[in-house]
Amino acid sequence: MGANSYGGNAQVSPAASLLTGVPAFVTGPFGPLGPVVPNTWQNQARQTQGATAFNYDIQLNFDTSFTGKDLLRTRLRAGNFAQSPFGGPTVGLNATEAGFEEFCGLGVDCGDVVAINRLFYQFPLGSNFTATIGGRVRQDDMLAVWPSAYPADTVLDIFTYAGAPGTYSLNLGAGGGLWWKSGGFSISANYVSANGDVGNPIAGTPNCGGIGNACSAQTGTGQIAYTGSNWGIAAAYTYSSGGAGLYTGNGTPLATIFQTNAAATNSVGISAYWQPTNSGWIPSISAGWGINRSNYNGTTNLNGAANLVSTTGITNATSQSWYVGLQWDDVFIKGNSFGMAVGQPTFLTSVSAGPAVFGGPAAATAIVDGNYAWEWWYKFQVTDNISVTPALYYLSAPLGQVSKNVGAIGTTGTDFNNFGGFIKTTFKF
């Protein structure tokens, strides 16, 4: 159960309206029964995501082993977060990792629908190799190392990507992978197509997909890692195309639209973690940084982004992200944990071949898509199977450049922020 509070004076500009679909001009009462108020991002968010809500996410794993060394996993999952205050339609960066609802098509309510969320088989090949293949497998299911010790209990989704959402996009679909591990060293490689179950390969037509084509929403990932007894470090590279990559829960609107509409994106992530040998005043430390370079072929449709950024002759765009997470174990009571994280969700940093001019010819030339996110939480381990986690978070500019109105003639205000919180109860059995 949770809610959000919004602040700031930034009004919705016509250019931002074309990108986001949020109306720039509102006549009459802003709300159904309310008084006439300014059309600010604060009021838009209050109207669409301002309620206190109670939501759920349920996951049931069915694990089978035939040899004791292999794994056949089937996961059923259901939730009802699509219309919750978390993750849209105005602010996407307040999405939670547990904020799940099965996608059944645009405009279709699939709350409470139970669906297969995982279906893959993982098995050893000799003493050092492990292979994975499945019709419903996620990118991180096929990595030998997840390079983060944060968090013990998830809050904002943006802090669950080891600092590099473009690299570790957690793409889910049909795929396969292989990793090699010897001692502390490991090398992993995998491929996932989110649309790998679709038979129509023709780009630009409805419901196209398949494996290895322009409609696949595909990622190919390679990772090199080393882990010690209480620390680890990894470098990874991901090639994304066909719409795979970021979403509004881990990137600003501009960063997301530039990556998902690119011909292809090359992403690199470097992540590491360290944990103290014994719990005490010193926390575990996890950190990561990611950079994405999206390429365009001259025919890319940027869906309204050209109204905020000059895309004439565009050849590539760059975005970055980072985070640091701290976690203390056995705080006050054995089994309880406290954590906090700070970072920047993926934000646009440069556009090449075509001046990066926001809002039109008279606008300032600086790209100011940067933003910060913080979260704080305390996990009460009530029993071995039940935990309760109250959490708070703050987003300094959850829409990045879109709400800052650089060069937007006739529109005032540059500030828009989001403070929120929830209480999460988890049952495991």
Side-chain angles (χ1 to χ4, degrees):
M1 181 178 70
N4 291 287
S5 174
Y6 303 95
N9 60 357
Q11 293 189 6
V12 182
S13 70
S17 176
L18 290 171
L19 176 68
T20 62
V22 173
F25 304 103
V26 177
T27 59
F30 184 84
L33 300 175
V36 177
V37 295
N39 184 30
T40 61
W41 288 106
Q42 177 192 41
N43 288 325
Q44 287 284 354
R46 285 175 174 174
Q47 187 182 60
T48 57
Q49 297 172 253
T52 299
F54 194 110
N55 302 93
Y56 78 90
D57 169 41
I58 183 170
Q59 303 178 41
L60 299 175
N61 287 335
F62 300 90
D63 291 345
T64 303
S65 178
F66 303 102
T67 67
K69 298 180 180 180
D70 60 344
L71 171 66
L72 174 63
R73 169 162 293 175
T74 303
R75 175 179 296 170
L76 303 181
R77 191 173 186 183
N80 65 347
F81 274 84
Q83 299 182 59
S84 77
F86 308 103
T90 303
V91 176
L93 286 177
N94 57 23
T96 67
E97 188 275 336
F100 175 81
E101 181 172 322
E102 183 67 21
F103 179 72
C104 300
L106 294 175
V108 180
D109 182 7
C110 276
D112 310 323
V113 171
V114 180
I116 294 178
N117 185 253
R118 294 285 201 286
L119 182 58
F120 65 85
Y121 182 56
Q122 194 166 78
F123 55 96
L125 292 173
S127 59
N128 298 109
F129 288 90
T130 299
T132 307
I133 189 168
R136 195 76 171 155
V137 63
R138 204 169 74 171
Q139 179 198 46
D140 58 323
D141 294 324
M142 301 179 287
L143 296 174
V145 171
W146 183 250
S148 176
Y150 182 92
D153 205 1
T154 61
V155 182
L156 290 176
D157 191 45
I158 54 179
F159 291 120
T160 65
Y161 296 88
T167 306
Y168 297 112
S169 63
L170 307 185
N171 197 20
L172 174 66
L178 183 71
W179 77 61
W180 168 86
K181 191 169 187 178
S182 179
F185 289 99
S186 65
I187 300 175
S188 306
N190 63 65
Y191 171 87
V192 178
S193 169
N195 297 332
D197 59 336
V198 179
N200 171 19
I202 309 302
T205 60
N207 301 317
C208 67
I211 293 175
N213 61 47
C215 296
S216 296
Q218 60 193 341
T219 55
T221 302
Q223 182 201 67
I224 298 176
Y226 183 83
T227 57
S229 60
N230 64 335
W231 64 278
I233 186 170
Y237 163 80
T238 294
Y239 173 89
S240 308
S241 68
L246 302 176
Y247 83 112
T248 55
N250 55 33
T252 65
L254 277 181
T256 301
I257 203 74
F258 269 88
Q259 178 167 337
T260 57
N261 286 276
T265 298
N266 297 283
S267 303
V268 173
I270 299 174
S271 309
Y273 67 90
W274 174 86
Q275 297 173 289
T277 304
N278 300 306
S279 58
W281 290 104
I282 300 176
S284 67
I285 302 173
S286 301
W289 167 79
I291 186 169
N292 316 293
R293 190 173 180 87
S294 299
N295 304 311
Y296 305 89
N297 56 18
T299 61
T300 301
N301 176 17
L302 288 168
N303 294 344
N307 295 290
L308 288 167
V309 185
S310 174
T311 58
T312 303
I314 183 173
T315 57
N316 57 72
T318 303
S319 60
Q320 298 186 52
S321 60
W322 64 271
Y323 94 115
V324 175
L326 306 178
Q327 181 173 297
W328 291 260
D329 293 329
D330 299 329
V331 178
F332 302 126
I333 300 175
K334 185 175 178 60
N336 291 3
S337 302
F338 169 74
M340 63 85 62
V342 61
Q344 288 188 276
T346 315
F347 62 102
L348 188 69
T349 57
S350 69
V351 176
S352 300
V357 178
F358 287 79
T365 58
I367 292 179
V368 288
D369 198 40
N371 61 103
Y372 290 88
W374 291 263
E375 69 176 26
W376 306 265
W377 52 270
Y378 184 80
K379 178 183 177 182
F380 295 91
Q381 194 66 48
V382 181
T383 71
D384 290 343
N385 304 101
I386 302 173
S387 64
V388 177
T389 304
L392 296 172
Y393 56 84
Y394 177 75
L395 305 169
S396 67
L399 298 180
Q401 174 70 28
V402 168
S403 64
K404 295 180 181 180
N405 291 326
V406 175
I409 300 173
T411 307
T412 61
T414 59
D415 179 44
F416 175 58
N417 55 73
N418 179 182
F419 179 79
F422 58 77
I423 298 176
K424 182 171 74 169
T425 302
T426 303
F427 303 86
K428 294 183 177 181
F429 54 91

